[in-house]
Amino acid sequence: MQERKIPKDLDCGMGMIMEIIGGKWKPCLIYNISQGHNRPGQLQKLNPKASRRVLYQQLKELEDYGIIERIVYPVAPPKVEYFLTGLGNSLLPVINAMDNWGTQYLDNPGITPVLNSELHGTFVKE
């Protein structure tokens, strides 16, 4: 990662997780990789609005934090695959909760999504 002129203030958990998974495509990349989409071309097809440069940059940042592992196979042409690390797998409940909340909101924008394990899939009317 590049050195910043003004250091980031990462003295709380929310700041830390936003540093790691904050970014337009990072949660999507973590989710896609967890679903078995490991190749850069697959990730590009699943996120067509993201430029290759941005996807590569966000994959690199996730790799720098130890969330994903990049494996380059010594074949011609080079083959690259990404995999979640143990640390990356520990983020899946967070990513899945975000996905569930977003899906519930898309389905019923006027109703508050509920992410309680006992009430999963139900809504609260405001």
Side-chain angles (χ1 to χ4, degrees):
M1 281 182 236
Q2 69 185 34
E3 196 67 30
R4 296 180 59 90
K5 291 180 182 178
I6 301 172
K8 291 187 178 186
D9 185 15
L10 300 174
D11 59 353
C12 72
M14 186 61 70
M16 191 69 243
I17 194 162
M18 290 309 295
E19 172 66 18
I20 294 171
I21 69 166
K24 190 169 184 176
W25 304 105
K26 287 180 186 179
C28 296
L29 291 169
I30 293 168
Y31 178 79
N32 294 151
I33 293 169
S34 76
Q35 298 299 304
H37 306 287
N38 306 82
R39 304 286 307 276
Q42 292 173 322
L43 297 170
Q44 179 69 51
K45 285 179 186 172
L46 291 168
N47 303 287
K49 293 183 181 181
S51 70
R52 285 186 185 267
R53 180 182 171 276
V54 169
L55 284 182
Y56 176 77
Q57 180 183 16
Q58 294 203 351
L59 286 165
K60 177 75 172 111
E61 290 173 10
L62 289 171
E63 184 181 5
D64 290 344
Y65 276 111
I67 304 302
I68 62 173
E69 179 182 9
R70 179 179 184 253
I71 298 177
V72 180
Y73 296 96
V75 295
K79 178 181 174 184
V80 176
E81 289 185 334
Y82 294 95
F83 298 94
L84 290 179
T85 63
L87 186 60
N89 278 312
S90 73
L91 279 172
L92 290 178
V94 175
I95 301 299
N96 288 330
M98 290 169 57
D99 180 51
N100 289 336
W101 191 96
T103 300
Q104 288 180 41
Y105 184 82
L106 280 172
D107 291 344
N108 297 290
I111 300 174
T112 302
V114 176
L115 296 178
N116 184 323
S117 60
E118 292 131 24
L119 302 175
H120 182 70
T122 62
F123 300 90
V124 175
K125 187 81 171 165
E126 287 194 354

